[in-house]
C-alpha cells in the first residue's frame, strides 16, 4: 500500500516557494504589495496531488508588463513572448538544479474571445490587462 502524503497544502506551497529559482516571487510580493500573484497551471495540480512539479506558471495582477520586465531582469534572463497578450518568460540566474535550468512563465490576466465562429487559432483576440480580476481571467 503506498504511503499517504500527510503534508498540508500550505506546507507544500511553502516548499515550492523555497526553491532558489522562485526567490523572485517573494521579493516581488514585498516590492509590489499592490500586485496579486497567483501560481497557476500544472504546478497547482501537482501541489494538490502531492507530487513534485517540474514547472511553475504565474499570473501577476496589478503590475504592468514594463514594471514586471524591469524587476525580473535582476533575477534572470527575461524574454517577453508577447507584449500584446502579456507573457514573460524568465530563466532565473539562481537554480535548484543547474543542469536542468527551469524557465518560468509569467502572465498578466487577459481576456480571450473568438472573433469568428470558425474555431481557427487566428479567430481569437487576446488582450492583456494587468488590472483584470483573476475571476475574469
Amino acid at each position: 500500500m503506498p504511503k499517504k502524503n500527510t503534508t498540508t497544502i500550505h506546507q507544500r506551497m511553502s516548499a515550492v516557494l523555497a526553491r532558489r529559482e522562485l526567490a523572485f516571487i517573494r521579493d516581488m510580493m514585498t516590492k509590489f504589495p499592490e500586485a496579486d500573484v497567483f501560481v497557476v497551471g500544472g504546478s497547482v495540480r501537482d501541489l494538490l496531488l502531492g507530487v513534485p512539479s517540474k514547472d511553475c506558471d504565474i499570473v501577476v495582477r496589478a503590475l504592468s508588463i514594463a514594471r514586471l520586465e524591469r524587476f525580473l531582469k535582476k533575477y534572470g534572463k527575461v524574454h517577453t513572448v508577447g507584449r500584446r497578450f502579456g507573457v514573460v518568460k524568465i530563466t532565473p540566474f539562481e537554480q535548484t538544479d543547474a543542469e536542468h535550468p527551469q524557465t518560468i512563465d509569467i502572465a498578466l490576466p487577459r481576456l480571450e474571445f473568438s472573433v469568428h465562429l470558425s474555431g481557427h487559432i487566428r479567430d481569437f483576440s487576446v488582450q492583456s490587462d494587468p488590472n483584470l480580476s483573476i475571476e475574469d481571467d
Side-chain angles (χ1 to χ4, degrees):
M1 180 175 211
K3 185 178 177 183
K4 186 175 180 179
N5 188 338
T6 59
T7 60
T8 67
I9 291 174
H10 183 269
Q11 290 168 320
R12 292 179 206 158
M13 189 63 194
S14 294
V16 168
L17 291 177
R19 293 179 5 210
R20 292 179 8 189
E21 62 269 19
L22 299 180
F24 73 89
I25 296 174
R26 293 184 302 276
D27 294 348
M28 183 187 324
M29 292 170 70
T30 301
K31 182 170 176 79
F32 304 108
E34 72 279 10
D36 296 318
V37 179
F38 301 90
V39 176
V40 298
S43 55
V44 174
R45 176 203 59 230
D46 296 342
L47 181 75
L48 293 171
L49 292 173
V51 299
S53 184
K54 299 214 186 298
D55 73 329
C56 186
D57 299 320
I58 300 167
V59 171
V60 177
R61 191 184 157 284
L63 192 61
S64 73
I65 194 94
R67 289 177 75 196
L68 182 61
E69 288 170 324
R70 279 193 305 273
F71 172 79
L72 291 173
K73 285 181 181 179
K74 296 182 285 187
Y75 294 90
K77 182 180 174 191
V78 176
H79 175 66
T80 303
V81 177
R83 242 181 217 292
R84 194 176 102 222
F85 50 89
V87 175
V88 175
K89 291 181 176 281
I90 179 172
T91 304
F93 298 134
E94 293 286 325
Q95 294 281 336
T96 301
D97 182 355
E99 289 189 29
H100 303 96
Q102 182 178 12
T103 297
I104 299 154
D105 292 348
I106 304 172
L108 299 181
R110 62 183 182 242
L111 293 173
E112 300 175 15
F113 53 92
S114 178
V115 179
H116 303 288
L117 298 176
S118 68
H120 292 91
I121 194 161
R122 293 186 182 157
D123 292 342
F124 282 87
S125 176
V126 179
Q127 179 62 48
S128 68
D129 179 352
N131 297 311
L132 187 68
S133 71
I134 198 69
E135 293 83 7
D136 292 331
D137 180 20

